[in-house]
Amino acid sequence: MRDFTEEELKQFDGKNGRPAYTAYDDKVYDVTGNHEFRNGLHSGIHPCGVDLTDEMLDAPHGDEVMDKVPMIGRLVK
């Protein structure tokens, strides 16, 4: 497991061939290649490379969706 700062996480935005990572609840997930995250965006709205914890509150799904992608680290603030 790797620790990521918010600044480091920004590098993994899923654009121009870069891996796509996102954070939720202080955990970092690799969403590269996940069909829900295309071109660095989830559902065409939420960017990769950031903490999506607050956005999850308004999502039409619960946090169980995060069980479907590999957790690769944790977000340190």
Side-chain angles (χ1 to χ4, degrees):
M1 290 287 169
R2 175 179 166 188
D3 289 345
F4 292 84
T5 64
E6 289 182 348
E7 196 61 35
E8 290 171 323
L9 185 61
K10 288 179 185 179
Q11 299 171 31
F12 301 94
D13 60 5
K15 296 179 181 173
N16 298 318
R18 290 186 293 269
Y21 297 171
T22 190
Y24 171 71
D25 197 24
D26 297 327
K27 298 176 185 90
V28 176
Y29 296 88
D30 184 349
V31 295
T32 306
N34 183 287
H35 70 278
E36 296 292 335
F37 292 84
R38 292 188 184 124
N39 301 317
L41 294 172
H42 172 56
S43 299
I45 301 169
H46 307 288
C48 295
V50 299
D51 185 354
L52 294 178
T53 301
D54 291 341
E55 285 80 358
M56 187 76 88
L57 298 172
D58 295 326
H61 53 71
D63 62 0
E64 72 281 350
V65 297
M66 301 313 291
D67 294 336
K68 298 177 183 178
V69 293
M71 184 179 70
I72 59 165
R74 64 188 182 126
L75 185 63
V76 294
K77 298 178 182 177

